[in-house]
Amino acid sequence: MTTIDSNRPRTALIFAALLASSTSAFAQGAPADQAPAAQQAATNGSVSTAGESQEIIVTATKRSERIFDVPFSLNAQTQADIQRTGATNIEDISRSVAGLTVQNLGPGQSQVAIRGVSAGQIVRDQPGVKEQVGIYLDESVISLSLFTPDIDLFDINRVETLRGPQGTLFGSGSDGGTIRYITNQPRTDRLEGTIEGNVNAVDSGGIGGSLKGAINLPLNDKIAVRAVGYYTRYPGFIDALRPDGSVTRNVNDGDRYGGRIAVILKPTETLTITPRVLYQEIDVNGFNREEKFNLYGNPFTTTRPTVNFARYQQYLLLREKFRDKTFIADGTINLDLGPVTATSVTSYTNRDILVSRDASALTGSVTVDLGLGSAAVLLPSNLRDTTKLDSFTQEVRLSSSGNGRLKWLIGGFYAHVNRNYDQRLPTPGYDAATDAHFGAGFSAMLANGFPSDSPFNSHLPYQLEQIAAFGEATFSLTPKFNVTAGARYYDFHENRSFKTGGLFSNDDNRADSTKSSGATPRFLAQWKPTSEVALNLQASQGFRLGGVNDPLNVPLCSPSDKATFGGFQSYRDETLWNYEAGVKAHHGPVSFSGSFFYNDIRNLQVTLDAGSCSSRIVFNVPKAHAAGLEFELGLRPARGLDFSFSGNLVQSRFDSSVTSNGQVLAGIRAGNRLPSVPQYQLAATGTYSFEVAASATAVLSATVQEIGDRFTQPSDQENNPRSFVSNLPFGGATGLDATRLDLRLPPYENVNLSAAIELQHGLSLTAYVTNVLNQEQLLSFDRERGGRARLGFTVGQPRTFGLTGRKTF
């Protein structure tokens, strides 16, 4: 029996000390004249210069306003914040944003949750599942379930995290919240640019690095071009054990490269046109999976070499790959009509995604059950998932201008999405083994028009069409008290075909459709008793569109799993009412924001693994909730010294149980936790800058992040720790030996350190170490065929050393 330990150290004393010092400084009110230029406060984004406060301008309400004036909870990580912390992706951003949780499944595959609103890990063969967090690139929606776009953060002006449902202004898929990547726009008033280079090395892993550049080129006072290009080499850190006894090192290495070009055209003083093109390609050679059991490699075999996995190891017959080609073309038109501003946003997105997995253990486990013989069990089998997406969206809106007592916005939205999802399981030699066992021509009879030697195939074309109308208005009852009301009406249609073929399939050939319509309101109130304090109240609704489950792979199901999971076909819209009260405050070098919130969730769409069927299904849980508090504190107790502290505490639970055949289904029990989100998340950052010469400034920075424990799926908290028995006699193993695992993903800490030297003329050099403690961070539990074929965890990157040079002009 193999047992996995999950103990982790704590850093509570560090956080307590930092919070105590921060609270003390807030109470004392450090003198404003101690704040040097360009202070970036962590909470409300204020920039203090000799006591003068200049707020970051955000567009979270689709109009430009100070972050302090936005009447709900949000965070804006500026370009300076991103550079100071060395963030390169949304997971790095989450370390400084309370309530934002990212599950790292590899580049381009991370899954995002906000405020504990989560339905479990979505896997790659669930193309019909919709997002819970909306992702935007400026004004263009780029969300895609399963594949959160891994946008490079170079030359990004800021990343806005809008907490709570944003359905009124941003539509479906934003019931947990919305993330907006705001890029630097072309400017006609200056020539500027940046070039950046990086090299990094993973402890006991590979070498990575990057080279990036951006330039803003004004052609005249009416036209300017901004171009960005980047290349990143991902260092691998997972080693693959091979059947011949060799080891392939760093199998999850890869590349990301791309660029974007934006043009600003100002033919008149009132008209601005900004077309843009972005292309990015990610090509990764494997996955950050650490295995504990594999049908081919485990401690129980006797006729095959036994395998006891070390840290960061997996077992492969075939190399794996993830590739994502993304093309985005969009254009924004703004027309100033005096008291009214008209805006048009047109966007087209094309994505071509390949997920190529070594499915040999999965196919082999079925082969053992079918009794095709050991030679067939050992056939290499490659599961290839492909997604091809074409998405067109159009939004038009009118908004009031000026600073009158009434501010309003109305608009319309249209989306047309074609998404084709295909699976193939090329396994050379499998048809011969099948026919030898079941009779000549048996495999061809089940092919249903798909290629030979592929025991499972599917073709799922989706077509989604949506129209929506939205509006929001804010009225100032007094100079200090504002109320806001808004709503969105939506009408949605989705059509899908479903065709399968091969020995493992049902030979389906069917069509399904789903539709939905409704309205989501939002109400806000804001009171500013002083110019430094704002109190906010909100009640808002968000929604996530429903869909239809794929049929189970019945030939792979055990009788009990077929009976348990076979009755869940379609699933309804998920809705959420959010109630929150918040405060924002700033005084001199100190800023604070905090919110209490309660999310009442109905028909939560929960994803789970359908046991031995090698299928995933989604179904509705009638009632659930996510409630808690979040806070962000920033201060500068002395010149050159900055602290920020952020955190959230959340209770997210099922409020009703789901049963099948009289039994609670897959951990959906009232009182159990919602999956994949921690109950707490804390982060503390300290930065100290000081002159070392007349033309040189040193900057020392440290970040400590604490992530609480989580469960990947609801069922993981039942009968845990758990013993997995494959019931597959192979390689001399009886199939009755147990691998015992603790499925509670333990808490972990991220400690990052950096030291920079900033010289004149925009030149800087930064040395850094991430994951200083070199903790093994378990991010999600990975299983195939209910654990009968493979067991493991996705893991975070080990300790990494890096050096970054940057030149701006």
Side-chain angles (χ1 to χ4, degrees), residues 319-515:
R319 291 297 299 265
E320 300 182 310
K321 180 176 284 293
F322 173 81
R323 187 188 67 224
D324 180 3
K325 298 179 180 179
T326 299
F327 173 81
I328 299 173
D330 57 17
T332 301
I333 302 174
N334 283 293
L335 179 61
D336 185 353
L337 300 175
V340 174
T341 299
T343 302
S344 169
V345 181
T346 306
S347 179
Y348 169 76
T349 300
N350 175 272
R351 291 184 73 179
D352 186 349
I353 301 169
L354 167 67
V355 182
S356 177
R357 291 177 279 170
D358 179 5
S360 305
L362 171 62
T363 303
S365 72
V366 180
T367 307
V368 174
D369 280 339
L370 295 176
L372 269 60
S374 296
V377 175
L378 292 169
L379 291 174
S381 186
N382 177 207
L383 182 56
R384 298 176 65 84
D385 300 349
T386 57
T387 297
K388 297 183 183 296
L389 175 82
D390 282 290
S391 172
F392 172 82
T393 64
Q394 175 65 55
E395 179 171 303
V396 293
R397 61 179 185 264
L398 296 174
S399 59
S400 61
S401 302
N403 296 312
R405 297 180 64 183
L406 177 65
K407 297 178 181 179
W408 55 267
L409 179 150
I410 58 172
F413 177 81
Y414 171 78
H416 182 90
V417 179
N418 286 315
R419 180 174 182 173
N420 290 323
Y421 175 75
D422 291 283
Q423 278 193 325
R424 302 292 184 269
L425 188 61
T427 310
Y430 207 83
D431 282 359
T434 301
D435 292 348
H437 184 77
F438 292 105
F442 190 80
S443 57
M445 180 180 66
L446 299 177
N448 201 17
F450 288 102
S452 60
D453 279 329
S454 183
F456 182 81
N457 307 272
S458 68
H459 175 58
L460 285 78
Y462 286 78
Q463 186 177 84
L464 181 151
E465 195 165 53
Q466 182 180 181
I467 59 172
F470 58 91
E472 193 166 86
T474 299
F475 185 71
S476 298
L477 296 175
T478 73
K480 295 183 178 182
F481 187 69
N482 301 325
V483 293
T484 300
R488 186 184 192 95
Y489 171 80
Y490 62 92
D491 186 84
F492 154 84
H493 295 266
E494 183 180 67
N495 297 308
R496 183 193 73 162
S497 298
F498 184 78
K499 180 182 178 181
T500 63
L503 180 64
F504 300 170
S505 78
N506 309 325
D507 283 343
D508 297 288
N509 200 345
R510 56 190 292 177
D512 299 298
S513 65
T514 184
K515 62 181 180 179

Side-chain angles (χ1 to χ4, degrees), residues 40 45 56 76-83 156-159:
Q40 291 290 331
I56 291 176
Q77 292 292 299
T78 66
Q79 181 171 281
D81 297 326
I82 293 169
Q83 291 178 352
I156 293 288
N157 181 272
R158 64 188 183 275
V159 178

Side-chain angles (χ1 to χ4, degrees), residues 725-745:
V725 179
S726 70
N727 289 313
L728 297 172
F730 174 73
T734 64
L736 301 178
D737 296 291
T739 301
R740 188 166 177 82
L741 298 175
D742 185 354
L743 305 187
R744 181 187 71 96
L745 304 173

Side-chain angles (χ1 to χ4, degrees), residues 164-307:
Q166 305 295 323
T168 299
L169 295 182
F170 295 97
S172 172
S174 290
D175 57 341
T178 299
I179 294 174
R180 306 179 69 231
Y181 296 91
I182 308 300
T183 62
N184 286 318
Q185 296 298 299
R187 302 181 56 163
T188 60
D189 61 340
R190 68 176 64 175
L191 171 68
E192 62 181 8
T194 303
I195 187 168
E196 177 184 290
N198 167 269
V199 62
N200 58 82
V202 178
D203 197 334
S204 300
I207 304 295
S210 64
L211 183 62
K212 307 176 183 182
I215 186 168
N216 183 84
L217 182 64
L219 302 181
N220 53 47
D221 62 353
K222 298 183 181 298
I223 303 175
V225 178
R226 194 175 194 99
V228 178
Y230 50 85
Y231 170 79
T232 297
R233 176 65 182 174
Y234 297 115
F237 57 90
I238 298 291
D239 296 338
L241 310 182
R242 309 307 292 270
D244 62 2
S246 65
V247 177
T248 304
R249 300 265 296 159
N250 307 324
V251 294
N252 63 322
D253 61 355
D255 306 277
R256 176 178 63 185
Y257 54 90
R260 62 179 185 267
I261 299 177
V263 180
I264 191 169
L265 307 171
K266 294 183 176 181
T268 70
E269 289 296 321
T270 59
L271 178 62
T272 302
I273 304 171
T274 311
R276 176 181 56 191
V277 173
L278 177 148
Y279 179 81
Q280 177 175 282
E281 185 165 340
I282 298 174
D283 199 334
V284 182
N285 297 313
F287 303 102
N288 52 325
R289 181 180 69 249
E290 176 184 284
E291 292 184 359
K292 304 302 179 183
F293 170 86
N294 189 294
L295 177 66
Y296 304 123
N298 57 73
F300 315 123
T301 56
T302 58
T303 61
R304 296 173 56 82
T306 59
V307 173

